[in-house]
Each structure stands twice: as structure tokens, then as C-alpha cells.
Amino acid sequence: MSFINNIINDDIVKRLVKLVEELRSEQKEESNLAITRRAEDFPLMISQYGLSSTITFFLSKIENEKLLDKGLEYFKGLEPQIPENLKGDAGRSGKGYASYLSLVLAWPLDDAFKKVKINGLVDELKQNSSGVRDTLLKNLHNIQRNELVLEAEALPGLLELKKILRALD
């Protein structure tokens, strides 16, 4: 129970709620938001292919790598306003790969990286939110080496995000 309370009070989830509420007010179509579709895909892909392969796949689908940087800045609280291109990616007609990956890098993967002590990755993402794609690719071997532990640490949070996004969408 305390796990769920920590999630609901988390600033990242508040930022997610703000994003989804703005998208819902702007986009009236019946289809799911792209970020919700990615929340459905990500945990399933991790169980089938592993965390590093799933991250690599999501990175390959992102056309504008600066969007990943901006999304991480927004979800970490470094950017107070929702970037317009993040709304476009997360919305009903977007692809959702950059918005969702930036969300899970802010939490729960950030916490998992800290617990597994992949400090180089945590420090680089904290100090430099530009170049997130390159930072992830440079640290892919650390992610692969600790994949099972990272997956176990991150999966409960990923499933909670999936539930939150389903409820909001």
C-alpha cells in the first residue's frame, strides 16, 4: 500500500496527469493516447525481449531525439511547461515512444538504475538531459549486465504507470 501512495504523491505522476488532462481537453477522439499505447507495450516487450532490447527498440522509433531530452526535462521538473512537441508525441495521433520513454526514465527506471548502482548512467542523466539517447546507448552494456535485477526493480512501477494511464485515458 505504501508503494502506491508514494506513486500517487510523486511529482512525476502529477506531471503525467497534467499532460494527459491537457491532451484530453484538446483531443476529443475515441482512440487511446499514444503514451497509453506505449504503456501497454513496454512491460510486455520487457518480458519477451528484455529491458535493453526494449529500450533500443523504443530509441529506434524516436524520430526527434531532442524530444526525448525535452520530455525527460519536463518529467524531472526541470521544464515547468509541457513542451508542445511532447504533447504531439503523446497524443492520439502521435507515436508515443519519446514521451513514454522519457516518462519511465524519470521514474521508475531512474530508481532502478540507482538501486543497481549504475551510477554513471544516473549521474549523466541527472547532469545532462541533452543527449539522453547517446547516454543510454553508451551505457547499454551496463543495462544488459544488470538486466534481470533492473527489470525486477522497474516492473512494479511500470505496471502502476500502465494502470494510471489506462484510468486517465
Side-chain angles (χ1 to χ4, degrees), residues 104-168:
V104 299
L105 284 171
W107 185 89
L109 287 178
D110 184 62
D111 285 355
F113 294 149
K114 288 176 188 168
K115 287 179 183 172
V116 175
K117 296 185 169 67
I118 304 181
N119 295 326
L121 178 57
V122 172
D123 292 341
E124 278 190 62
L125 289 174
K126 184 186 286 184
Q127 294 169 358
N128 183 15
S129 60
S130 64
V132 172
R133 179 183 173 277
D134 293 339
T135 300
L136 284 171
L137 291 174
K138 186 168 70 174
N139 286 279
L140 203 54
H141 65 283
N142 288 328
I143 295 170
Q144 289 170 331
R145 193 171 342 130
N146 298 288
E147 192 148 20
L148 293 177
V149 178
L150 286 169
E151 290 171 8
E153 287 291 334
L155 198 57
L158 294 170
L159 295 174
E160 286 301 317
L161 284 176
K162 179 176 157 181
K163 289 184 223 174
I164 290 168
L165 278 161
R166 274 188 191 160
L168 292 171

Side-chain angles (χ1 to χ4, degrees), residues 3-166:
F3 177 74
I4 292 173
N5 288 338
N6 287 339
I7 292 171
I8 292 173
N9 293 326
D10 196 353
D11 287 337
I12 293 166
V13 174
K14 290 177 186 172
R15 290 178 166 282
L16 175 62
V17 169
K18 180 180 173 185
L19 171 66
V20 171
E21 285 177 349
E22 280 195 32
L23 290 170
R24 285 179 56 209
S25 69
E26 294 171 5
Q27 303 175 5
K28 303 292 184 193
E29 301 100 39
E30 293 298 316
S31 63
N32 287 344
L33 296 171
I35 195 169
T36 304
R37 294 191 306 268
R38 298 298 80 86
E40 299 280 339
D41 298 342
F42 201 80
L44 180 62
M45 288 180 69
I46 286 175
S47 67
Q48 291 176 336
Y49 308 112
L51 179 62
S52 58
S53 294
T54 302
I55 288 173
T56 305
F57 175 79
F58 270 57
L59 288 173
S60 75
K61 294 295 187 179
I62 297 171
E63 295 171 3
N64 178 0
E65 67 183 73
K66 293 293 181 202
L67 183 54
L68 185 60
D69 301 343
K70 288 292 184 192
L72 187 58
E73 286 175 2
Y74 170 71
F75 285 116
K76 288 256 185 193
L78 303 172
E79 172 65 45
Q81 299 298 321
I82 302 169
E84 281 302 315
N85 51 358
L86 185 69
K87 285 200 272 186
D89 181 69
R92 299 195 193 290
S93 61
K95 294 183 179 178
Y97 293 100
S99 53
Y100 185 75
L101 189 55
S102 60
L103 169 64
V104 299
L105 284 171
W107 185 89
L109 287 178
D110 184 62
D111 285 355
F113 294 149
K114 288 176 188 168
K115 287 179 183 172
V116 175
K117 296 185 169 67
I118 304 181
N119 295 326
L121 178 57
V122 172
D123 292 341
E124 278 190 62
L125 289 174
K126 184 186 286 184
Q127 294 169 358
N128 183 15
S129 60
S130 64
V132 172
R133 179 183 173 277
D134 293 339
T135 300
L136 284 171
L137 291 174
K138 186 168 70 174
N139 286 279
L140 203 54
H141 65 283
N142 288 328
I143 295 170
Q144 289 170 331
R145 193 171 342 130
N146 298 288
E147 192 148 20
L148 293 177
V149 178
L150 286 169
E151 290 171 8
E153 287 291 334
L155 198 57
L158 294 170
L159 295 174
E160 286 301 317
L161 284 176
K162 179 176 157 181
K163 289 184 223 174
I164 290 168
L165 278 161
R166 274 188 191 160

